[in-house]
């Protein structure tokens, strides 16, 4: 087994898809949602409750508590919930019976990989936060100085967009891969980044869809997340299945019913 793993590629190869492929992923994700409405609603309510819990906790303790809460809890919980939802789409695709218990077993099986992803995300977010603080040193904003303020906002937007793009690229296809294959999280993240770079038009449309639907969820006071987040997670599974070619990696053993 160790000898086989040593021969695995550094990253997974990928297919190139048309720019409008994300709309097919959303349609497939919606079909999964309609096939498992009760299970999707369960996950959606958990996401809704966690989102409000983090927000209320941050509001109660102050702005710095928001950062602490996000970094210590939500960053780890969110990927694990996504993994549970990806496993539902996997079981639907394989014709297996789906249940919250079964998806929870999928989550438990990859707890270690989820922790690695959370650690990667924490490092990126800390660097992002530190780079934002450094901007104040290079662009000291003084009251009434509109030019410096505009420069500060422009540079900050570029930096923020770069970090957001990095997080998106690493997350787009990596979590479905560790649900499906016996691969480590670093390989999955690098494979995801590679696939995003090879499919820039399609992934730009996919990112825009995610931003738009997430914005809708925020606009509804997180109520929209009850449907939107399971829908996006189901759709992401279909994106992974269409783009990444992961045949060299062994499939994970099936969990018990």
């Amino acid at each position: 087994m160790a000898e086989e793993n040593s021969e695995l590629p550094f990253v997974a190869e990928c297919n190139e898809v048309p720019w409008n492929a994300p709309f097919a992923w959303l349609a497939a994700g919606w079909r999964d949602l309609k096939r498992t409405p009760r299970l999707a609603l369960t996950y959606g309510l958990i996401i809704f409750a966690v989102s409000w819990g983090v927000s209320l906790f941050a509001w109660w303790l102050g702005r710095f508590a928001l950062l602490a809460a996000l970094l210590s809890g939500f960053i780890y919980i969110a990927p694990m919930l996504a993994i549970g939802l990806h496993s539902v789409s996997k079981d639907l695709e394989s014709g297996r019976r789906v249940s919250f218990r079964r998806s929870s077993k999928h989550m438990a099986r990859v707890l270690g990989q989820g922790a690695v992803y959370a650690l990667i995300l924490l490092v990126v977010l800390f660097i992002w936060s530190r780079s934002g603080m450094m901007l104040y040193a290079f662009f000291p904003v003084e009251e009434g100085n509109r030019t410096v303020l505009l420069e500060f906002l422009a540079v900050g937007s570029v930096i923020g967009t770069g970090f957001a793009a990095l997080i998106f690229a690493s997350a787009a296809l990596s979590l479905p891969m560790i649900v499906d294959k016996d691969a480590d999280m670093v390989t999955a993240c690098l494979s995801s980044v590679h696939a995003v770079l090879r499919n820039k038009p399609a992934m730009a449309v996919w990112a825009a869809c995610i931003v738009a639907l997430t914005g809708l969820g925020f606009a509804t006071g997180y109520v929209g997340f009850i449907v939107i987040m399971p829908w996006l997670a189901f759709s992401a599974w279909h994106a992974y299945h269409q783009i990444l070619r992961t045949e060299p990696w062994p499939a994970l053993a099936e969990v018990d019913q």
Side-chain angles (χ1 to χ4, degrees), residues 110-123:
V110 295
L111 279 175
Q113 301 289 4
V116 171
Y117 179 74
L119 180 60
I120 294 172
L121 201 54
L122 278 171
V123 171

Side-chain angles (χ1 to χ4, degrees), residues 152-226:
F152 174 83
L153 293 175
V155 175
S157 297
V158 170
I159 293 174
T161 300
F163 278 105
L166 176 61
I167 291 174
F168 166 75
S170 67
L173 306 171
S174 57
L175 296 178
M177 183 173 176
I178 65 168
V179 170
D180 189 36
K181 297 292 183 176
D182 186 10
D184 62 88
M185 195 68 234
V186 174
T187 298
C189 286
L190 292 175
S191 298
S192 179
V193 172
H194 173 253
V196 169
L197 292 175
R198 292 287 299 274
N199 290 277
K200 295 183 187 71
M203 299 313 285
V205 173
W206 180 228
C209 291
I210 292 173
V211 170
L213 289 171
T214 303
L216 180 61
F218 279 114
T220 58
Y222 303 143
V223 174
F225 284 169
I226 297 174

Side-chain angles (χ1 to χ4, degrees), residues 5 31 129 147 186 200 229 244:
N5 285 339
R31 288 193 295 271
S129 175
T147 301
V186 174
K200 295 183 187 71
M229 290 308 178
L244 285 187

Side-chain angles (χ1 to χ4, degrees), residues 223-256:
V223 174
F225 284 169
I226 297 174
V227 173
I228 289 170
M229 290 308 178
W231 181 20
L232 287 175
F234 291 153
S235 302
W237 168 263
H238 293 283
Y240 153 78
H241 203 62
Q242 184 180 9
I243 294 177
L244 285 187
R245 300 204 297 266
T246 57
E247 294 83 2
W249 284 267
L252 284 177
E254 288 301 320
V255 300
D256 298 330

Side-chain angles (χ1 to χ4, degrees), residues 86-171:
H86 296 326
S87 72
V88 173
S89 281
K90 177 184 178 181
D91 286 342
L92 287 173
E93 192 173 79
S94 303
R96 297 183 178 87
R97 185 176 65 86
V98 300
S99 67
F100 186 79
R101 179 182 178 185
R102 183 176 171 83
S103 63
S104 297
K105 288 183 177 180
H106 278 286
M107 286 189 283
R109 184 168 57 176
V110 295
L111 279 175
Q113 301 289 4
V116 171
Y117 179 74
L119 180 60
I120 294 172
L121 201 54
L122 278 171
V123 171
V124 173
L125 289 178
F126 275 131
I127 296 173
W128 187 352
S129 175
R130 181 59 62 182
S131 65
M133 295 177 184
M134 290 294 293
L135 277 180
Y136 287 101
F138 292 103
F139 298 94
V141 179
E142 300 176 359
E143 186 175 352
N145 193 334
R146 186 172 299 178
T147 301
V148 175
L149 176 61
L150 291 175
E151 291 175 349
F152 174 83
L153 293 175
V155 175
S157 297
V158 170
I159 293 174
T161 300
F163 278 105
L166 176 61
I167 291 174
F168 166 75
S170 67

